[in-house]
Amino acid sequence: MEHMTVGRYLIERLIDAGLKHLFGVPGDYVLDFMDRVVASDLEFIGNCNELNAGYAADAYARLNGIGGICVTYGVGGLSAINAASGAYAERVPVVFISGAPTSAQRLAHLHMHHLVTTYDMQWDVYRKVTVDSAQLTNPVTAPDEIDRVLANCLIEKLPVYIEIPVDMVDAPCRAPSPMSFNRERVSDSRSLDECVKEAVALIHSAETPTILAGVEVHRFGLADRLLALVEKSGIPFATTIDGKSVLPERHPSFMGVYMGALSRDAVKSRVENSDALLTFGAMSTDINTGGFTAHLPEGNTIRANMEKVQIRNHYYDRVWLGDFISALTEVVEHRSYRSSYPGRPHDAKGDYTAEADMLLRVPRFYERINRFIDKDMILLAETGDAIFAGSEIYIEEPENFLSQSYYLAIGYCLPATLGVCLARPGKRVLLLEGDGGFQMTVQELSTLLRHGCNPIIFLLNNDGYVTERLIHDGPYNDIQQWNYHKLPDAFGGDALSFEVRTEEELEEALYTARGNPDRLVFINLHLPRDEGSEALDRLSRELRRLQTGG
Amino acid sequence: MEHMTVGRYLIERLIDAGLKHLFGVPGDYVLDFMDRVVASDLEFIGNCNELNAGYAADAYARLNGIGGICVTYGVGGLSAINAASGAYAERVPVVFISGAPTSAQRLAHLHMHHLVTTYDMQWDVYRKVTVDSAQLTNPVTAPDEIDRVLANCLIEKLPVYIEIPVDMVDAPCRAPSPMSFNRERVSDSRSLDECVKEAVALIHSAETPTILAGVEVHRFGLADRLLALVEKSGIPFATTIDGKSVLPERHPSFMGVYMGALSRDAVKSRVENSDALLTFGAMSTDINTGGFTAHLPEGNTIRANMEKVQIRNHYYDRVWLGDFISALTEVVEHRSYRSSYPGRPHDAKGDYTAEADMLLRVPRFYERINRFIDKDMILLAETGDAIFAGSEIYIEEPENFLSQSYYLAIGYCLPATLGVCLARPGKRVLLLEGDGGFQMTVQELSTLLRHGCNPIIFLLNNDGYVTERLIHDGPYNDIQQWNYHKLPDAFGGDALSFEVRTEEELEEALYTARGNPDRLVFINLHLPRDEGSEALDRLSRELRRLQTGG
């Protein structure tokens, strides 16, 4: 048997933890490690730059359960910090691996290229946006450090950082011993009992109990448990925007996405007037709350998050979200709430008939997409109007909607599309991408083409930052107008590329996209310069109202 | 008179400090500040993403004396960290300005979008890669903070960070009082006297004194002083690679660039066998020393850096580089060292005749460029082979060569081209850009086109990371082959675009470029896949030798 080394140990543990693809960009401090990666069962996916690699790994992790990137020291690691920050803000388990100079160079304080200040600086920065981290400088302790860091990544669903100096890659170390990364959290049984008892009493005495499902339910893999609770109890549910598609929207108890004043009226009214509102894994961010326009019924609200349940104004600690859902499901009684159920959001879809020479308008486009998307597609909505409009698109199956809807890094979604394509090869990505965001990370279109990915990319071309334009306009919101549809060819790819200005042209593009399930389809969608979706309209009105104190 | 506000104060001081253009990307936490910028005498230059904006500002600062970017909080600031790191590593005075949530949001610990952990996190990160910084949270102290931070930027020639919350932009504050940012450093006069006396005695007793000029001479604006010393003393000089073009290469005392084993033999021999080597503002980095293959004559070396002079094994503190050069110039005697002068590096240029159907080879290309470039062009050399090959290209006038030759962030040079074009509108940029680097930051080609910049861009298309391929090859060094010459059109620009495979085609492209001085010229230069310049050849041989301990 071959001797174990630190580099191979790290790779084996990444595979044990569920990783299949590793994103990254080469650079001299990480080439030895990359040699071991390409010789392993991990597939290395080269990106055009490190930030894009980080975004791809983040999206991959949201669906695969863990993602990873490996980059070089300094110029590489420090270029990916914003991806780690986004992963931290939105609880995504991504492993950031960086090469580093050798121990000898470090000890001699040599001025090696890519070094900024001290040899610990990059680690110091990453410690601010990761839940655990290690510099692998000692082959004796490296295996334990790797195990601990990867376990914390999976248990906490947060990014971690591992730095592997060049001379450590082939340093001999102990072989991996059996371990499980799926350590279950443990609740305090007395707290759990009391908490469930109180919650169920509130539910049983209520007329309009309501469930609001948030992103933690997805991250911690609790969707099936929550679905069981929904079905056993009969309680209607909404989701937050970052929790959209955590439960299937085709479910008869689904009401829609709740985002404060941005929600459709029936959902807003049901959630805010509920006499027993149960939120599961929902975060109180400005976006989830529609710019803090949410008015939850505080006196009747049960908030369950990762390890804490709040009922009205008191807390139960050490009550694990998964246990809480399961225990509640066991004791809750079924009732029918159909009389007060506000109806499914998508039932009024009705017909859509394209008009031949009609110039495409934003609301009509989203109406059309809502009828085009099916259960084998994953919708990616770029930060900007696409997220707000996307919140109202009908996502039949769970996990078929993805956006970075709290950290909101513009440009996230194009690299994220690569991550999703690799994590879910059986599905097709439908990407809604603004032109401003697209320009930020455009080169990853090349990587999508390189790997034969088949997304349908809608480039929402409104000649600038339309979300900002509607909220706060100025000349800085203008950008260079590109011939976007020419890019797949310029990037050396074999794609189907369209310019769409009318409803009829949109039909042709959609028809071709549907008929070519294996090809990348790029649609340059010319939209009015100052028009947003109906959802963005509601948001900008609301933000103006808040700003003026009106 | 209008009331002064914190936002306007900052803008006025940036202008006082010498800033004319401010790079950046909009985002909601910085839009109020941007409104004040576009209403001011500062020209706002919108970039495609924040890292690119940082690179553009860095290059701009190298020529203009100060550069700046402004971006939004979190997603913006944290995307630009690698640019700040590069500026810190290479001593470049760049002001990084970030918007931020309001004080009220901060005090309430609201979960605002773009927030990762605490409201201080981004500042904490920037403090690691800046010499001074401020969060402008109090309008009473903000003016003093702005003055202090900008002064330190200019005095230390290092990046700084300023965070301006949305509600501070229009907060009233005191008016600017007269101040000068050009505070001169002061030497300890007794140390200076003794140091100069010792140095001049060493010079006068030497047969082969030699000057090695480094980057600090340029950063601190000491080129004229050093040139006076060269001319008064008659001592021949070389430069480091990061100091290339700090003094004019047409000067009769210029010998070439010294990079340890990578230097041409005559320069290496002269520097390493000098009986009085004077280094001015030179840094001992792995690149400057040719991978630590430099063997300076330690017993006969005088190293003068910013505020410290080392002679053999002892130091003089508080001796300012500028004072040392001036004082030395006053007392040094002129002698002729022509008999031992190793000759100018470029005298053997001779003729170059293109052969019609000859496929272009890398060494021939650089031979040709060496004859094409003139004193009104600025050569930008991207990290990779272009830097090594560029070290040997003849730069007649000072400040006509620019590269990030220590931090070596691949992708730096395309955004940097934008910075140089704006800082030196009377000159034309000749950019040598590798394909790997180009893919990292390609979208900034759009910004160059948008502003009607006129660089000649040589895309060194060798189908991957050739520098790494020659040093350490693997499949990760392959990249997607693009139709690079189609990109200017795809980016909506009006450029002259060429595909060049033969020497004759290169001539046609160069002829057209010369005849169209106002247009962007893009040349997709098809080069052999595994061929580097002669300089890269020497480097990779040397690195292999060092790695194998041979």
Side-chain angles (χ1 to χ4, degrees), chain A residues 425-437:
Chain A
K427 293 199 173 176
R428 191 172 200 184
V429 171
L430 195 159
L431 168 60
L432 301 175
E433 172 89 14
D435 47 355

Side-chain angles (χ1 to χ4, degrees), chain A residues 25-29 31-32 34-35 38 44 48-51 74-75 78-79 81-82 85 88-89 110-117 121 124-125 128-129 284-287 292 406-409 439-443 446 449-450 465 468 472-473 475-484 486-487 489-493, chain B residues 25-29 31-32 34-35 38 44 48-51 74-75 78-79 81-82 85 88-89 110-117 121 124-125 128-129 284-287 292 406-409 439-443 446 449-450 465 468 472-473 475-484 486-487 489-493:
Chain A
V25 178
D28 59 351
Y29 295 116
L31 297 182
D32 291 272
M34 280 190 182
D35 285 337
V38 296
F44 176 76
C48 292
N49 67 39
E50 290 87 357
L51 182 57
V75 297
L78 296 171
S79 290
I81 279 289
N82 193 53
S85 304
Y88 196 91
L110 292 183
H111 288 293
M112 300 302 296
H113 61 284
H114 302 345
L115 185 68
V116 187
T117 56
M121 191 274 271
D124 285 345
V125 170
K128 295 184 183 300
V129 291
S284 275
T285 66
D286 59 347
I287 304 298
F292 299 115
Y406 167 52
Y407 191 58
L408 296 181
Q439 294 198 357
M440 291 224 169
T441 53
V442 60
Q443 49 273 87
S446 150
L449 291 163
R450 187 179 179 193
Y465 295 107
E468 288 180 6
H472 187 139
D473 199 16
Y476 37 73
N477 291 330
D478 297 336
I479 62 177
Q480 167 88 348
Q481 178 63 260
W482 292 2
N483 296 310
Y484 295 97
K486 294 186 179 176
L487 282 166
D489 176 44
F491 287 145
Chain B
V25 178
D28 59 350
Y29 294 116
L31 297 182
D32 291 273
M34 280 191 181
D35 285 337
V38 297
F44 176 75
C48 292
N49 69 38
E50 290 87 357
L51 182 57
V75 297
L78 296 171
S79 289
I81 279 290
N82 193 52
S85 303
Y88 195 92
L110 292 182
H111 287 293
M112 300 303 296
H113 62 285
H114 303 344
L115 186 67
V116 186
T117 55
M121 191 275 271
D124 285 344
V125 170
K128 296 185 182 297
V129 291
S284 276
T285 66
D286 60 346
I287 304 299
F292 299 116
Y406 167 53
Y407 192 58
L408 296 180
Q439 293 197 358
M440 291 224 169
T441 53
V442 58
Q443 49 275 87
S446 147
L449 292 162
R450 186 178 180 195
Y465 295 106
E468 287 180 5
H472 187 137
D473 200 16
Y476 35 74
N477 291 329
D478 297 336
I479 62 177
Q480 166 90 347
Q481 179 62 265
W482 291 2
N483 296 310
Y484 295 97
K486 295 185 179 175
L487 282 167
D489 175 44
F491 286 146

Side-chain angles (χ1 to χ4, degrees), chain B residues 102-170:
Chain B
T102 65
S103 316
Q105 288 161 343
R106 182 190 178 91
L107 287 172
H109 302 288
L110 292 182
H111 287 293
M112 300 303 296
H113 62 285
H114 303 344
L115 186 67
V116 186
T117 55
T118 70
Y119 275 86
D120 281 341
M121 191 275 271
Q122 179 169 309
W123 186 30
D124 285 344
V125 170
Y126 266 95
R127 274 192 288 198
K128 296 185 182 297
V129 291
T130 52
V131 69
D132 200 0
S133 59
Q135 276 181 326
L136 304 179
T137 50
N138 180 345
V140 175
T141 56
D144 289 345
E145 296 212 81
I146 291 169
D147 288 353
R148 186 199 73 231
V149 169
L150 293 185
N152 280 331
C153 178
L154 287 176
I155 292 167
E156 301 296 334
K157 311 297 181 195
L158 284 170
V160 295
Y161 174 73
I162 294 174
E163 192 172 298
I164 180 164
V166 171
D167 57 324
M168 283 294 124
V169 171
D170 291 332

Side-chain angles (χ1 to χ4, degrees), chain B residues 444-513:
Chain B
E444 237 44 50
L445 181 57
S446 147
T447 316
L448 285 163
L449 292 162
R450 186 178 180 195
H451 290 283
C453 300
N454 66 343
I456 305 171
I457 299 175
F458 292 95
L459 194 282
L460 311 170
N461 180 357
N462 40 34
D463 201 17
Y465 295 106
V466 77
T467 308
E468 287 180 5
R469 204 176 268 151
L470 294 178
I471 294 171
H472 187 137
D473 200 16
Y476 35 74
N477 291 329
D478 297 336
I479 62 177
Q480 166 90 347
Q481 179 62 265
W482 291 2
N483 296 310
Y484 295 97
H485 52 286
K486 295 185 179 175
L487 282 167
D489 175 44
F491 286 146
D494 174 36
L496 294 162
S497 207
F498 296 89
E499 273 202 285
V500 165
R501 288 189 167 81
T502 66
E503 295 194 353
E504 194 175 21
E505 288 168 354
L506 177 60
E507 290 309 308
E508 287 165 16
L510 293 178
Y511 181 83
T512 310

Side-chain angles (χ1 to χ4, degrees), chain B residues 424-442:
Chain B
R424 289 285 185 272
K427 293 199 173 173
R428 191 172 199 183
V429 171
L430 195 159
L431 169 61
L432 301 175
E433 173 88 12
D435 47 355
F438 184 71
Q439 293 197 358
M440 291 224 169
T441 53
V442 58

